[in-house]
Structures are given as C-alpha cells and as structure tokens.
Amino acid sequence: MSRLFGSVRARATLAATLVVAVALVAAGTAVLMSLRSNLIGEAGTQAEQSARAVAAELAARTPYDQLSGLDGDDRPVQVVDQDGTLVAASEDLQRIDGTATTEVTPRPSAPGDDDDDPGRPGDSDDADDSDGDSDDDSGAGPAPGEIGSGTTFSNGSATIDGDAEDYRFAAVDVGTADGGRLTVTAGAPLAAEHSAVDTTLTGMLIGLPLLLGVVAGVTWLVTGRALRPVEGIRREMAAITASEDLTRRVPEPATHDEIARLASTTNETLAALEASVERQRRFVADASHELRSPIASLRTQLEVAAAHPELLDVDGAVEDTVRLQRLAADLLLLARLDAGERPADARVDLAAMAREEAAGRTGVTVDAVPAEVTGSRGQLGRVLANLLDNAGRHARERVTVTVRREGALAVLAVADDGEGVAEADRERIFERFVRLDAARSRDDGGAGLGLAIARDVAVRHGGTLTAGTAPAGGALFELRLPLAG
C-alpha cells in the first residue's frame, strides 16, 4: 500500500478525487439548502394566501360557520381571538402543533350570551357603550375591518381526517368591527418539499460515488499517459547506468511541455558528462604519453650509466628530471582545479606581480598601474609566468606586459612581436596538450598545458583569458579579473 501511494500517479489520482469530492459535497449541500429554502418559501406563500383569504372574509364579517377556508380541504386553518381562544377551525382537524394553540375544537359561546348572531365576528352586548369605544383597550393590531400587513411564519404538523403531514404555517391578524383582533393561521403542506429534497438527496448519494469513480478512473488514465514519458526516461537512465554507455540518450517526447524539457535537459547533461569523461580519458592518455618520453629518456641514461659510468650525461638526466617535476606539478594543479578548489582571498597587486615576474627575463618590458584583485598569489603568478613563457617562445625580440583598469576590471595583457595566432586557433590553444607549432619539440615547447592552466585559473577567479592580435602583429593575451573591494 505504501509503495502504491508513493507513486505520483496514485497521489495525483487521490488528490483529484478528494478535491472533486469536497467540491461536489459543498455544491450538493448548497443545492439542497437552496431547493429546500425555495420550496419552503413557496409553501409559505401558499399558506399566507390561504390565511389572508380567510382574513378577508372575517373582515367582511362573514360568520365562522360560513368561512370558505374551513370547508375540509387538506390545509388546516385556525382562527384565534386576542385572548388566545380558538373560535373557528378547519373541519376534520384532529391534531395540530407549531401554531398559537394546539386546540382543534372551537369553544362554544358562553352561557347567557344574548347576541343575535353568536357566530358573527364583531357583535357584542356592549355595542351601546356610551363612549363608543371597543372593549379591547390594548391599542394593538389592525384597525377594524382591516388585515394586518405583517405575516408570521412557522413550521409544524397537523392531522386532518387521519392523515398526518408537516406544514408551513402563516399567521395574519385582522381587526374586528368592535375593535378586537382575530389571528388567522393557515398551513400549506410540505410534502412536495420533502419529496423533492429526498429525491435530490437520493440522486446525489447514488451519483456522487459514480462520479467520483469516473473522476478517479479518468485521472488515473490521464496521469498514467502524462507520466509515460517519465517512465521511459527512467528506464533509459537505468539502462545507461547499468551499461555505462554515455553515448545513449533518453527519448524526448514531442509535447513541448515540462517533461519534454526534462528529457532535453537530461540529454544535455548526458552529453556534458560524456564530454567530461572523454576529456578525462584523453587527459589521462595524453599525460601518460607526455610522461613516457622523459621517463624513458631518464631510464636509458641511468642504464647506460650503470654499464658505463664514464658515459653518464648528468645535465641530460637533470633536465629530464626537471621536465618530470614540472609536468607533475602541472597535472597536480589541473587536478585541483578540476576538483573545484576555491582560490584564496588574498589581495594581489597585478602591477607589482608583473614587475616581479618580468625581472630577469630578456626583452620583457612592463607598463603597469596599480590594480588589486582578490585571489591566490601563487596561482595568478603561475598564469603570468605561463603567458610570459609562451610569449618568449614565439617573440622575435620583444614582449610587453601592461596592467590597466577598465571600469570594475583589472586587465593584464601580454603581447609579443611574433607571428601571432590564427583566428581559427584562438580557442583551441587553451585545450590541454595542444601544440599548434608542429616544429616545436617537447624539449623546448613543454607539454601544452600552460595556457590550459592559465584559463582554468582565470575562470576560478571569476575572470576571463582571451587571445587576440597585438599591435606589433604578434599574439596578445588579456587576463581580465574583478578589482578587489
């Protein structure tokens, strides 16, 4: 189970299903509440219409037993006086709750009431009162013969002729001729509301799981289809890892989306890794080749000396040993640079360094202004020494070293008056073990690592090293580094 839900496909499916489920539940709840509110409002409107119809008859002084709203239909009606006494009710009304009174049987007229028409609202034995006022001194309610504008709603239930149902009740007041007040309560059944809500709820309970199943299935298929290229990339990467064949590439889908860009970036990484491995192999092969010659020469001289001591070439042996020492130092420095060794944070004055390195070299002139940079004094001195060695091998008579400022950069330039470097070779000369001059021997030209080391050190110090043409027509090498501070 943990492995299943550890996949992106399963998590995406689960998340999509949960989001849709929450949205559907929220929407369904809102629909049910809106439906119920609308249906209850409609029932309330019907109940209010019934109540006002009876109130209109009462306002017209229709006797209780002749009210058309009490003729036994399925809508319960109650008429209550201001004292809370039930004076009229629907026929066959057996039970009611949720209204002003639970009484279902109107109270008969009190004994001794000599009203000519006890069932007519508004007649009273006190009609001849000298002040002409009503016995009702409450001062509240509508005027005689008028229906109140307000309506009170409530929910309840009632039983009519043995059928029990829920109702929405509406109560309105009507004024009687003697200044009294009657309250008419009428109900409208909520059966349609219950039926509609129950039907909608049942449909939702059936449809929601089905819809969620469809959403989960579609999401599972879509995510599987979308992630299929990722699985292809993974399989190919696993095969590349197992075979160690860096010439292989992962498939790139033609969708131009994030997965296609991932595949493209992966292939670019594989290409860079292949180039790096190939460069390392070539470096090892070239280093082995460069080491073989001085070692073989030194061994030959030692073997001859062992057999014929008088033939020992001490100067040649020392020269081969020095070459080995320099080559080993170059290889060690390149290895440290490739490993990402960070340069020191010392402040170095390129002008002072140029004068120190030029001292003792024939034909080298220096024109420098103070320019401090941050870095390794030893590595930057090695760069300048390599540039001066390279210029000295190709110059006819003169080598010029200049140091100047260009904005936030310090520029150290080494120019010679030799034949220069062809434009097509100005990047190639910075590759390791590259010699452009086929006539140069290893004895007088080195192993072809000087310029490669110089550029690597420049890059590690946040600068650049480029080759161009000197004013005198020879080669011009410019080292640009950020000024300190």
Side-chain angles (χ1 to χ4, degrees):
M1 183 64 69
S2 61
R3 183 176 181 181
L4 173 62
F5 286 100
S7 68
V8 175
R9 187 180 188 184
R11 292 200 300 270
T13 301
L14 180 60
T17 304
L18 289 177
V19 169
V20 173
V22 171
L24 289 178
V25 169
T29 302
V31 168
L32 286 176
M33 293 178 64
S34 177
L35 177 63
R36 184 173 182 275
S37 176
N38 290 337
L39 292 176
I40 290 179
E42 183 179 350
T45 300
Q46 296 175 359
E48 182 181 11
Q49 291 174 350
S50 299
R52 290 190 177 277
V54 174
E57 293 181 303
L58 291 173
R61 304 187 65 185
T62 302
Y64 299 140
D65 56 357
Q66 295 180 15
L67 294 173
S68 60
L70 310 180
D71 56 0
D73 62 4
D74 60 347
R75 296 186 180 183
V77 177
Q78 286 181 316
V79 180
V80 179
D81 63 15
Q82 61 191 14
D83 297 327
T85 302
L86 180 67
V87 296
S90 298
E91 297 179 5
D92 301 325
L93 179 62
Q94 299 170 337
R95 182 191 60 83
I96 191 169
D97 62 69
T99 60
T101 179
T102 59
E103 298 291 333
V104 295
T105 303
R107 293 187 181 182
S109 301
D113 189 355
D114 55 356
D115 189 0
D116 293 337
D117 187 0
R120 182 181 299 275
D123 288 344
S124 173
D125 291 339
D126 299 327
D128 295 332
D129 229 350
S130 60
D131 58 3
D133 293 336
S134 168
D135 290 340
D136 179 14
D137 56 359
S138 63
E146 294 184 1
I147 302 173
S149 59
T151 304
T152 303
F153 294 96
S154 62
N155 291 334
S157 62
T159 302
I160 300 178
D161 197 17
D163 295 329
E165 287 190 34
D166 293 329
Y167 288 88
R168 178 71 167 173
F169 293 108
V172 296
D173 293 336
V174 57
T176 60
D178 61 353
R181 183 185 72 250
L182 296 175
T183 301
V184 181
T185 302
L190 293 175
E193 179 264 338
H194 292 331
S195 176
V197 171
D198 291 343
T199 301
T200 304
L201 180 60
T202 301
M204 288 182 177
L205 293 177
I206 296 175
L208 180 61
L210 295 178
L211 185 57
L212 291 179
V214 172
V215 170
V218 171
T219 305
W220 180 266
L221 294 176
V222 170
T223 53
R225 183 182 181 87
L227 294 175
R228 191 176 303 157
V230 177
E231 179 60 22
I233 295 173
R234 188 202 64 79
R235 285 197 302 266
E236 187 63 24
M237 288 296 294
I240 293 173
T241 302
S243 64
E244 298 183 356
D245 183 7
L246 295 178
T247 61
R248 300 174 62 172
R249 297 293 182 266
V250 300
E252 295 187 23
T255 53
H256 305 290
D257 56 8
E258 290 83 354
I259 297 177
R261 291 194 291 272
L262 171 64
S264 176
T265 303
T266 301
N267 284 334
E268 292 173 0
T269 303
L270 288 173
L273 183 60
E274 180 187 9
S276 177
V277 171
E278 181 60 29
R279 186 167 57 250
Q280 292 295 331
R281 289 174 179 171
R282 188 169 61 250
F283 175 76
V284 172
D286 291 341
S288 301
H289 181 71
E290 294 293 336
L291 289 170
R292 187 181 300 114
S293 178
I295 290 175
S297 176
L298 183 60
R299 178 180 177 181
T300 300
Q301 296 181 57
L302 292 176
E303 288 177 347
V304 170
H308 306 282
E310 70 280 2
L311 299 178
L312 176 62
D313 183 4
V314 177
D315 293 337
V318 171
E319 185 178 348
D320 287 338
T321 303
V322 171
R323 286 181 57 203
L324 281 173
Q325 184 181 14
R326 289 177 177 173
L327 183 57
D330 288 344
L331 295 175
L332 178 59
L333 179 56
L334 283 174
R336 285 159 47 194
L337 293 174
D338 288 342
E341 179 182 287
R342 295 177 59 85
D345 294 331
R347 297 174 73 91
V348 180
D349 184 3
L350 295 182
M353 185 181 68
R355 295 187 182 93
E356 292 175 8
E357 292 292 337
R361 293 178 182 262
T362 303
V364 178
T365 60
V366 177
D367 181 12
V369 298
E372 286 191 342
V373 298
T374 302
S376 169
R377 175 67 176 79
Q379 291 184 8
L380 293 176
R382 183 66 175 277
V383 171
L384 181 54
N386 289 352
L387 294 178
L388 289 173
D389 290 342
N390 181 77
R393 286 193 294 268
H394 295 85
R396 292 188 179 94
E397 296 179 355
R398 188 176 58 206
V399 175
T400 303
V401 180
T402 60
V403 177
R404 66 182 187 274
R405 294 168 175 260
E406 286 186 359
L409 297 177
V411 182
L412 186 151
V414 178
D416 62 65
D417 57 354
E419 296 181 358
V421 181
E423 186 174 355
D425 295 326
R426 288 177 184 173
E427 283 299 316
R428 184 167 170 263
I429 59 176
F430 293 107
E431 296 179 6
R432 299 174 184 183
F433 300 106
V434 169
R435 297 185 185 88
L436 298 182
D437 189 355
R440 278 169 42 203
S441 67
R442 287 183 174 83
D443 293 335
D444 60 12
L449 293 176
L451 293 179
I453 291 175
R455 169 163 282 188
D456 283 354
V457 171
V459 172
R460 295 293 178 185
H461 283 73
T464 61
L465 178 61
T466 58
T469 302
L476 172 64
F477 291 89
E478 290 187 325
L479 171 66
R480 285 179 167 81
L481 296 173
L483 287 168

